Amino acid sequence: MQTRDAITQAWCDGQSMRTYRHTPNTMSRKSWAAGDACQTAVNLVLKVMKGEGGMPTVLSAPTWGFYDVNFGGKPFKFQRPYGSYVMENVLFKVSYPAEFHSQTAVEAAERLNKKLAAMGKSAADIEKVVNRTHEACIRIIDKQFKPMDNFADRDHCVQVSYASIAVMRSDRRSTWLLACSSQPPHGRRLPRWQRGGDIDAA
């Protein structure tokens, strides 16, 4: 009963917008947003444990229920029945301090870096970088033609993620902090990512 009551309280709270995760409003809030959500959840649970009730029709109540307020009066529709799909399809984030959609690019940069080192070369010997990626990466963290105003903005940039490994030869946190601490040198163009096509970058 208390579990159900706590869940209805969470539905009533809704969710924050993702504005702070995307240009031109990217900011450090994205670093504490998850902790803030957990804090809210714990607070609601403690209140229910002390006797706060739940809301039986928090989803379906006319006018003020979740469906009417957030879904245009339509109930949820799911791609599949309830089950264990999420637990069986967890995507584990590898050991890079990078936004999830740049993981493959960072892995590729690390492999390339090792190959260059074995040849006695470095990123300075690269004439161009050609990359292909998926729509989500382009929509969320491709910032080829967007100004990056702060650390949080650069932290969510696939070009910075790639370059920090390819150029600095390290995936350590200190290297990542250095890569995100300032804008790329004026006049230098970072690699551009595009879905379904090859893009050259000087």
Side-chain angles (χ1 to χ4, degrees):
M1 179 70 75
Q2 285 187 319
T3 299
R4 184 182 64 186
D5 290 345
I7 291 174
T8 66
Q9 291 288 346
W11 280 117
C12 193
D13 269 14
Q15 69 290 315
S16 63
M17 298 194 303
R18 291 180 54 87
T19 310
Y20 55 85
R21 295 184 180 276
H22 302 281
T23 300
N25 297 294
T26 313
M27 60 185 297
S28 57
R29 176 172 176 166
K30 67 182 179 60
S31 298
W32 53 262
D36 183 62
C38 292
Q39 170 185 269
T40 300
V42 172
N43 181 49
L44 292 175
V45 168
L46 291 175
K47 282 181 166 58
V48 170
M49 290 177 68
K50 291 182 178 180
E52 186 65 53
M55 292 160 277
T57 59
V58 65
L59 296 178
S60 59
T63 306
W64 304 114
F66 191 92
Y67 291 152
D68 278 4
V69 172
N70 295 292
F71 271 68
K74 299 177 181 179
F76 296 140
K77 292 183 178 179
F78 301 100
Q79 295 173 298
R80 58 188 61 83
Y82 290 124
S84 57
Y85 177 85
V86 172
M87 296 306 296
E88 293 170 359
N89 291 273
V90 172
L91 297 176
F92 292 98
K93 188 171 183 179
V94 294
S95 300
Y96 302 107
E99 200 276 343
F100 191 83
H101 293 92
S102 66
Q103 292 294 308
T104 303
V106 171
E107 289 181 43
E110 184 179 51
R111 291 187 180 186
L112 177 62
N113 188 291
K114 291 178 180 178
K115 287 185 177 181
L116 287 173
M119 298 166 60
K121 298 181 180 295
S122 70
D125 297 299
I126 299 175
E127 180 179 351
K128 65 179 180 180
V129 177
V130 179
N131 284 283
R132 301 183 70 176
T133 188
H134 51 285
E135 186 274 337
C137 179
I138 296 170
R139 173 167 45 85
I140 298 172
I141 57 173
D142 173 23
K143 297 179 180 176
Q144 169 72 7
F145 299 112
K146 300 174 184 176
M148 292 180 282
D149 300 319
N150 53 53
F151 182 100
D153 214 1
R154 291 182 283 278
D155 178 63
H156 266 47
C157 171
V158 66
Q159 286 86 356
V160 172
S161 298
Y162 182 91
S164 68
I165 305 298
V167 176
M168 299 184 184
R169 295 192 174 188
S170 174
D171 61 356
R172 295 177 183 272
R173 182 174 180 273
S174 58
T175 299
W176 183 253
L177 292 175
L178 177 62
C180 294
S181 64
S182 61
Q183 288 276 37
H186 181 69
R188 288 191 63 183
R189 196 156 70 91
L190 291 173
R192 179 185 174 193
W193 267 244
Q194 177 167 312
R195 175 171 56 92
D198 295 337
I199 295 298
D200 296 345

